[in-house]
Structures are given as structure tokens and as C-alpha cells.
Amino acid sequence: MSRERILVVDDSADIRELIRTMLITAEYDVLTAATGADGLVLAQDLSPDLIVVDYRMPGMDGLTMHEALSQAGYSIPTILLTGEGSEKLAIRAMRTGIADYLVKPIEISELLDAVQRALSRYWSMQIKERLPNHLLEANLKLEKRFREMATLLKIGASVTAMLDLQQVLNRVVESAVDVTGAESGSLMLIDRRTDELYMRAVRNVDQRTAMTLRIKVEDSLIGQVMRTGEPLVFSEREAIKIKTAYFIKSAVYIPLRIQGKAIGVLSVDNRVKSREFDSHDVQMLSLIGNFAAVAIENARLYGDTTQERDTLDAIIRDTDDYIIVVDSEDRVLFCNQTAREALNVTATDFIGRPLTEVISHPEVVDLFSKTARIGRGRHSEVTLDGGERTLNAQLTIIEGIGRAVVMQDISHLKRLDRAKTEFVATVAHDLRSPLTAVLGYTELIQRSGPLTDQQNKFAEQIVSSVHSITDLITELLELSRIESEFNVDLEPVNFCRTAESALLSLEHAAAVKHHQIKREIVPGTLLVHGSGMRLRQMCANLIGNAIKYTPNSGTIFVSVWGDENFVFFRVKDTGIGIAVEDQPFVFDKFYRTERAAADYDGTGLGLSIVKSVVDQHDGRIWLESKEDEGTTFTVMLPCFRPNVQSEVSGEPTAQQE
Ligand code: ADP
């Protein structure tokens, strides 16, 4: 058998030579031409078995050469070489009957495979030509389908990879028109609020009128596609005027569906040509419609996510809060404009750099290191501009990312707070002077001569009332001070000794009421990170209440113990108890139970002070009580850890008071 003859047409001498060598090595006879025009002449004169032709050539390009040959009645299988693959070219190649097309750079095996495929198809075609007509037709149809499917798959792959919604829509309409050979096409999406279809992309339709078009789903033919979820095909015979403001001769409408729900309609139509669409066009359009629906959903989701991210970015960027985020290695992941300005971060390439290199403010750096090691979020205050500005900082652990500090400017609140403290102090002072006078003169009256029993009783009443007011003023002042001490000077405190000391100061009061005190305070040291003075006050208030609200000859239990993480303090009495309905309110300022108010002196501020102190030490307090049986208050405070709390230098000086 004589060797098969292949014509290679390429304007590049190097590529011509390369392909020639490849083919000769594979034992083909090879002819070459440097231009499309020369190739055309050679092909007509020598009728090669196959042509390998470059797409882009000066003068006549490869496809045009192939088309010219076909028009002249030659059906030589042709392989097209292209520099870039595009589905447009693929569609055009498919329509002009190109056997195959290869994208450069081409490998030997790829070229030889394509050559072999094209030749064997060609030879089988030759054989088929001798086959009966109906078999031949069926075969041709099959081959056409195969090529169409390959093209559709390419379209699908490229469309579903797109993320820009408008680009997706344009490409879908373009492909629908190209594949069906229609004159024009359009894609409409549903507006769920108004139940109208509105135009999103068109091909060969006047953009301006088309884009303003809105069609009610309810009463339109296009809407019918949405309602039924079935494609619609119109032929010239039906001579319809679709509600699109122009006459059409034939059209196909395909529903676009996502998870069974129609989201729009893809359509192609002919207005001039008399070509009708058949079931095959519907099939191909339906396939494109399926790709389109997925691609539209992808692009929409991507668009939504991007928009959400942009909004979040803008919020975080423009917020007045100061935000800094670091990763688990203390490298800066984020620092917004507000924080950068306030903390003088001038470097622009701060992302990924160690926190201490980016931020020099010691309080901010300290905040990250302290809380990071304690392992929980906490509030703290940071001062700026030499104390002029105060920020309230909160550190939060973000699982899998790192830690974030968010700070708000609370300078105005601090100023208000200072004003309030000064006001309370002034009022307290101004009230104390006249009260001292009242007390003094009452004593003088008592000493100034014999008083009647009733006069004596009245005088005592005055003295007792003045003492009540003085207690109230003292406690109010205390509470206001504690509440303004946001960052109390914290130090390691031996809580066992603090509790002992508070108990000691109240032994006399207990003895007066013949109470028995049972203590269970672990010997040794239990360290708490806090203010010794405030902790002692907290213990004294709880023990004092137990003594006060227990009728004579009761028992008061005071216990202190600890575990790895916490120190516990418990005061239990056998007193009047607190009714369940009062229990949630006893820590409120000025709250007193009816029974306490009737029978016992008090201000209703003692437990508010206790709660403030516990809160400032990051502790917890709770109570259990039963009326006429007794009350138990339990406080839980985090332990001091010398190796954790970095601000302790040298030996911890366990504080007593
Ligand atoms: P005060 O004792 O000055 O009234 P507190 O704030 O210390 O104010 O307590 C608030 C209220 O809680 C008291 O008035 C009382 O009704 C109740 N309470 C506190 N401790 C006890 C206790 N140990 N037993 C019974 N009631 C108590």
C-alpha cells in the first residue's frame, strides 16, 4: 500500500520543518506550503490524503483555506493548528467540518494521534460512501452529534468557571446563538418581588429597548416556560408576536432551573430567516441552560460573598473602634486605620510582622501577652496621649485564627465618672459637717441638765439616725470609689490571712450576739491576684451580714480553701435567710428585704460593694438560702500564678491588708 500523503501549510518555516520531520519519521509522505493560497493550489493539484494547516497566517487563514477547498468540492480531512483555544473558534471549526484542532505547543504524540484519527475517519468515510444511503446518513448524524457534544462540553467548562455574573450571562446567550445558528438570543431572569422577568443579556437585539423590558410571568408566553418548567418551541406557522416588541418567525424558550426552581428563561429566535428549530436545537439549548443555571448560581453566590466581605471590610476599616488581630505566633494579621493612627503605626508592611515590632505602646503589647497566657478574654484600660485619652480594651480569642483586641474610646465616660466621684465626695463631706454639729449639740443637750425620759429617748433617736446617715454616706463613698477603680493596683494577696483579718475585726460583734464562729481556713498561703484592702472589705461585709442577720446564739461558718485554679471563700449562717423571690436582687444598690428593713439597721449597699469587688477580681459570687434556716454566700476568685502574671517582679510580697 502506498504511503499516505499529508500537506503541511504553515507560514513559519521552523514549524513547517518540525511537523514535516515528525510526519516523515512516522512514515508519511509530506508536502509543504508557506501560505494559505499556495496550500489551496497544492491541495487542488495533488489531492493529499490529509491537510495540517495553521489557523493564523497572513493573507488566507487556515479556516478560510479549508472553506475554499470545501466550496470547490474537495473533502480532504483537515487538522487546524491554533495558537489559542477558544470556544468561538471551536464552534466555527465544527460548523465548517474541520476534522480536529490542536492548540500549540503541540507534542509529537498528540499530532500523530490526531493525524491517525482523522485519516482512519476519512478512510471509513470512503468506505461508508459505498454504504446504503440511510446508513450513511445515520453515521453522519452521529458524528455531527459527537462534535456538538464536545463543543457543548467545552462551553460548559468555560462558563461554569466564570465568576462575573454579567460575563456568564453574555457568554451563555452568545453560545446559545452560535450553537443553534439562530439570528438572536436573550436571557431573562426573574425578579421575585414583582414576579416579572427582566432582560439581563442579549445578542443581536437592540440593547437599549431590550434592557428596559419587563414581562409579567403570570400572563405571558415566556412566563409560561417559567410556570411549567418546560421548553417552548414556536414555528413560523404560528406567527406570534411575543411580548418583546418585535415579530419573530421562530423561537425556542428554555427554562433555567436551580434545584427544581425556575430562575429565568434562555431563548433564541429568527426574525428574518425561515429556519425552524427542531427537537435537537431544544436539546442543545437545554444543555447550555443547565450549565448556565449552575454558572449563574455560582456567580451570584460569589457576588454575594464578595459584597459581604467588602461591606465587612469597610465597616472594620472605617469604624471608630481600634481593632488589632494577631495570630497564634503574635504576628499582626490586621490593624485598622483608627488603631494605626492612635498607636503611631507608620509602617505600611505591618501584616505578618511580630506585634512588638509594629506596636510600641507597652500597655497594648502587655494586654496581648497577659491575656494570651491567662487564656481568657478580659477588659482592661489603655491610656493614650499621656493619660489624656482612655480606651476600654477587650481581648477575644478567635478559634483557629488568633486573638483580637477591640478598643473603644471611653475618655468622655472617664471624665463623667471623675465628676461623679468628685460630686459624691463633696456632697459626703458637706453633709458630714452639719451632721457632726447635730451629733455634738444632741450630746450637749443630753449633758446640759436632767432630761425627762421622753426627751432622752428623742435625743437617742437623733443620735441613732445620724449614725445611720453617716453609715450610708460612708458606704456610698466607698462604692463610688470602688466602681471608679477600674484598674485597681493588683498584687499577690494571701487570701487566708485576708479572711482571718476580716474575721478578727468582727469577733467582738459576734461575741456581743453570743454567736459561735466555726472557721475552716486552710493553713498556709492561697494567693489571689488583687487588692488586699478591697478583698478584706468584701470578706468583712459578708461576715458582718451573717452576724447581723442571725438572731442571738447562732453559728457562723467561715471557710477558705483552694484548688489549682481558684480560691474559694464561704460564709454560712443560721440566720433569718432570704426568700427565693428576693435572692436575685440582694446585690442591687439599696435593695433590702422587707424583713431586714423592718428589724435591722442597714443601707442596702454592703452586697453591692461585695459584688463590685468580686467583679473587679474576675471572680464569681452566688448564694443559697432558705428562710429561717440560714444563708450561704460563696465567692470564687482566680488564683495568682507567679509564672503567669508577668507584672510581678521578684518575690511575691503576700499582702495582709
Ligand atoms: P444591708 O445589710 O445594709 O441592708 P446589704 O447590701 O449588705 O445591705 O444586703 C442587702 C440585703 O440582703 C439585706 O438588706 C438583707 O435583706 C439581705 N441579706 C444580706 N445578707 C444576708 C444574710 N446573711 N442573711 C439574710 N439576709 C441577708
Side-chain angles (χ1 to χ4, degrees), residues 60-81:
M60 183 183 285
D61 70 41
L63 261 185
T64 316
M65 184 193 119
H66 173 73
E67 280 162 355
L69 263 179
S70 307
Q71 271 164 21
Y74 292 85
S75 57
I76 306 169
T78 301
I79 295 175
L80 192 70
L81 306 181

Side-chain angles (χ1 to χ4, degrees), residues 569-580:
F569 172 62
R570 177 169 290 164
V571 181
K572 182 171 183 251
D573 62 47
T574 52
I576 59 170
I578 304 170
V580 177

Side-chain angles (χ1 to χ4, degrees), residues 475 541-550 571-573 575-579 582 585-597 600-610 623 625 630-633:
E475 295 207 324
N541 281 7
L542 289 176
I543 301 170
N545 274 355
I547 295 171
K548 180 163 66 171
Y549 295 111
T550 302
V571 181
K572 182 171 183 251
D573 62 47
I576 59 170
I578 304 170
D582 285 319
F585 308 108
V586 290
F587 296 106
D588 292 353
K589 283 183 195 124
F590 302 112
Y591 190 85
R592 308 200 68 211
T593 63
E594 244 177 63
R595 194 164 164 192
Y600 301 89
D601 283 342
T603 59
L605 289 174
L607 285 183
S608 306
I609 292 177
V610 168
L623 71 99
S625 187
T631 307
T632 307
F633 282 93

Side-chain angles (χ1 to χ4, degrees), residues 9 64 113 251 323 375 382 450 462 493 501 513 590-591:
V9 189
T64 316
D113 280 353
I323 304 171
V382 170
I462 294 173
V493 175
S501 156
K513 292 187 76 178
F590 302 112
Y591 190 85

Side-chain angles (χ1 to χ4, degrees), residues 550-561:
T550 302
N552 284 358
S553 307
T555 312
I556 316 290
F557 302 83
V558 177
S559 338
V560 176
W561 75 99

Side-chain angles (χ1 to χ4, degrees), residues 112-368:
L112 295 181
D113 280 353
V115 165
Q116 237 167 34
R117 251 193 331 265
L119 281 172
S120 60
R121 219 180 298 138
Y122 175 70
W123 292 127
S124 57
M125 283 282 289
Q126 298 295 308
I127 297 164
K128 276 182 230 152
E129 267 174 21
R130 280 158 226 145
L131 287 176
N133 261 356
H134 68 279
L135 275 184
L136 205 62
E137 262 172 38
N139 210 297
L140 277 175
K141 261 192 188 161
L142 260 180
E143 276 189 2
K144 191 167 167 252
R145 294 283 183 277
F146 178 78
R147 262 174 291 159
E148 281 168 356
M149 282 302 151
T151 313
L152 283 174
L153 274 177
K154 271 188 189 159
I155 293 172
S158 84
V159 164
T160 44
M162 284 179 182
L163 290 173
D164 178 82
L165 183 59
Q166 195 52 53
Q167 224 184 342
V168 168
L169 302 175
N170 291 342
R171 184 64 66 86
V172 166
V173 177
E174 221 170 77
S175 306
V177 168
D178 287 346
V179 164
T180 54
E183 284 171 18
S184 50
S186 67
L187 193 152
M188 303 188 89
L189 292 180
I190 182 81
D191 180 343
R192 297 248 175 250
R193 286 165 307 151
T194 57
D195 212 24
E196 286 175 333
L197 283 162
Y198 63 103
M199 197 64 91
R200 281 304 308 268
V202 289
R203 171 91 184 267
N204 301 338
V205 175
D206 176 44
Q207 288 264 352
R208 262 176 308 156
T209 35
M211 289 309 190
T212 54
L213 194 71
R214 292 183 83 91
I215 298 175
K216 275 259 170 241
V217 168
E218 229 171 69
D219 54 5
S220 63
L221 278 169
I222 298 185
Q224 184 184 320
V225 180
M226 292 284 291
R227 295 195 302 273
T228 60
E230 294 296 326
L232 259 187
V233 186
F234 293 114
S235 64
E236 200 169 352
R237 289 183 300 281
E238 287 155 311
I240 26 132
K241 182 181 187 242
I242 305 291
K243 274 201 188 170
T244 50
Y246 56 81
F247 280 98
I248 57 168
K249 285 190 167 172
S250 52
V252 185
Y253 296 88
I254 298 289
L256 302 175
R257 293 154 72 90
I258 296 264
Q259 289 164 353
K261 261 192 170 172
I263 58 158
V265 175
L266 171 66
S267 66
V268 290
D269 50 55
N270 290 323
R271 278 168 277 166
V272 182
K273 275 199 267 182
S274 287
R275 178 180 172 273
E276 308 242 314
F277 296 103
D278 57 17
S279 61
H280 177 61
D281 293 312
V282 174
Q283 255 176 15
M284 288 205 295
L285 269 190
S286 298
L287 263 177
I288 293 182
N290 288 347
F291 292 135
V294 174
I296 290 168
E297 188 67 358
N298 280 353
R300 266 191 183 158
L301 288 176
Y302 181 77
D304 288 353
T305 320
T306 317
Q307 198 184 352
E308 260 173 43
R309 200 200 51 209
D310 289 349
T311 315
L312 211 63
D313 271 359
I315 292 171
I316 292 177
R317 204 181 43 239
D318 301 338
T319 178
D320 286 340
D321 289 356
Y322 307 67
I323 304 171
I324 305 164
V325 185
V326 299
D327 65 11
S328 53
E329 306 290 315
D330 277 350
R331 284 182 302 246
V332 178
L333 291 178
F334 181 81
C335 181
N336 72 344
Q337 180 74 16
T338 321
R340 291 207 300 276
E341 274 170 18
L343 301 170
N344 296 325
V345 177
T346 45
T348 46
D349 58 340
F350 56 87
I351 306 276
R353 283 176 48 192
L355 178 78
T356 43
E357 270 181 29
V358 178
I359 291 167
S360 53
H361 196 295
E363 289 174 41
V364 176
V365 173
D366 200 31
L367 185 75
F368 273 101

